[in-house]
């Protein structure tokens, strides 16, 4: 016959085991998210010196001098500091496109896929919305676009490939030809730019990425080619 003391001891052991497991998971997660790629000095220079830049909570906005009515919501790559994409977005903004960079919880877009929902109302002057992102951010932007196609004029993927049901005719895919993991998964044949000598990491300014092939072109060249393609795609998709 079991005693009350024995039952209490068993419950205490189970409770402590659960608490230890929760603590171990929390520590492992904290270690995982604390190891991320940080924006380099070029990106931080844009943050500090670009007069068109505005920060609102988790949004960093680059306001064009001559806005054309189009805006891009941008999701950063996984475990990459959002500010690393400011050099790229600053160049896009110079083409008249308002850029809204979203800082994700723990630098993981998968934790806030619907972040774009909070953006639209803040920009009543925008007539055409695009969403995009790099790597994991691109994948999550694609998932969001698949369930919000009616609100978006286009999807822009950098170092990522299209998933879900968003139309290929309204999707731009850009990747470096040295990024074979993405290259081998791209199935679309229209609105696709393969950058010779480009790799995975150089769409952002955060330095080399583990497992990524070294690029044979500069980050300036890779981003310039991407910006040209994005500006042309936005123009094409914006024809009324």
């Amino acid at each position: 016959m079991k005693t009350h003391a024995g039952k209490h001891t068993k419950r205490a052991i189970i409770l402590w085991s659960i608490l230890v497991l929760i603590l171990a998971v929390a520590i492992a997660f904290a270690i995982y998210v604390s190891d991320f790629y940080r924006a380099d000095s070029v990106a931080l220079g844009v943050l500090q010196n670009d007069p068109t830049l505005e920060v609102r909570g988790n949004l960093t906005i680059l306001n064009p001098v001559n806005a054309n009515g189009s805006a891009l919501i941008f999701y950063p790559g996984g475990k990459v500091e959002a500010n690393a994409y400011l050099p790229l977005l600053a160049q896009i903004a110079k083409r008249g496109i308002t850029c809204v960079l979203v800082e994700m919880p723990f630098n993981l877009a998968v934790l806030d896929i619907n972040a774009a929902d909070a953006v639209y109302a803040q920009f009543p002057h925008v007539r055409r919305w695009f969403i995009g992102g790099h790597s994991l951010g691109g994948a999550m932007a694609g998932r969001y676009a698949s369930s919000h196609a009616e609100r978006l004029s286009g999807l822009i993927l950098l170092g990522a490939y299209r998933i879900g049901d968003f139309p290929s005719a309204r999707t731009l895919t850009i990747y470096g030809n040295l990024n074979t993991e993405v290259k081998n998964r791209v199935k679309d044949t229209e609105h696709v730019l393969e950058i010779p000598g480009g790799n995975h990491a150089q769409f952002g300014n955060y330095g080399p990425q583990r497992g990524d092939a070294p690029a044979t072109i500069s980050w300036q060249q890779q981003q310039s080619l991407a910006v040209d393609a994005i500006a042309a795609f936005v123009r094409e998709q914006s024809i009324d």
Side-chain angles (χ1 to χ4, degrees):
M1 181 175 176
K2 295 182 179 179
T3 65
H4 288 298
K7 289 181 180 178
H8 287 313
T9 300
K10 186 175 181 180
R11 287 174 185 168
I13 292 171
I14 293 173
L15 179 60
W16 274 108
S17 297
I18 293 172
L19 290 175
V20 168
L21 179 61
I22 291 173
L23 181 61
V25 170
I27 291 172
F29 180 75
I31 292 172
Y32 175 76
V33 298
S34 65
D35 179 24
F36 63 91
Y37 295 98
R38 289 165 171 78
D40 68 14
S41 59
V42 174
L44 295 178
V46 176
L47 179 65
Q48 295 162 3
N49 302 315
D50 191 323
T52 74
L53 188 145
E54 174 189 358
V55 178
R56 300 181 195 169
N58 70 324
L59 305 180
T60 300
I61 303 109
L62 290 144
N63 297 291
V65 176
N66 297 305
N68 62 18
S70 296
L72 169 63
I73 301 170
F74 194 88
Y75 286 8
K79 297 182 73 177
V80 179
E81 186 178 10
N83 289 333
Y85 297 94
L86 288 176
L88 173 76
L89 297 179
Q91 292 302 310
I92 296 173
K94 288 179 180 178
R95 304 298 185 94
I97 303 164
T98 301
C99 292
V100 183
L101 174 62
V102 183
E103 181 181 352
M104 291 294 179
F106 302 106
N107 301 303
L108 293 170
V110 69
L111 298 180
D112 195 5
I113 297 172
N114 294 321
D117 286 342
V119 175
Y120 305 110
Q122 300 186 47
F123 301 86
H125 64 284
V126 172
R127 302 192 303 276
R128 295 171 296 271
W129 284 100
F130 295 79
I131 192 169
H134 176 230
S135 192
L136 176 65
M140 295 305 101
R143 282 186 56 183
Y144 177 87
S146 293
S147 56
H148 298 81
E150 74 288 346
R151 301 197 71 169
L152 298 165
S153 294
L155 170 65
I156 298 169
L157 304 174
L158 304 179
Y161 49 90
R162 188 171 60 89
I163 58 175
D165 300 324
F166 195 80
S168 61
R170 289 194 281 144
T171 302
L172 171 64
T173 304
I174 305 174
Y175 60 90
N177 76 323
L178 300 177
N179 185 191
T180 54
E181 183 177 350
V182 169
K183 179 178 180 178
N184 294 336
R185 293 177 183 239
V186 173
K187 305 303 180 186
D188 292 340
T189 56
E190 58 180 332
H191 302 310
V192 175
L193 173 63
E194 179 181 298
I195 300 177
N199 66 358
H200 187 73
Q202 285 193 156
F203 293 110
N205 286 70
Y206 55 89
Q209 186 164 341
R210 288 185 292 273
D212 192 21
T216 59
I217 61 174
S218 69
W219 68 263
Q220 293 95 330
Q221 290 172 301
Q222 183 164 337
Q223 292 183 21
S224 177
L225 290 169
V227 169
D228 286 344
I230 291 168
F233 176 75
V234 168
R235 232 177 5 252
E236 177 184 324
Q237 299 297 321
S238 301
I239 296 174
D240 296 323

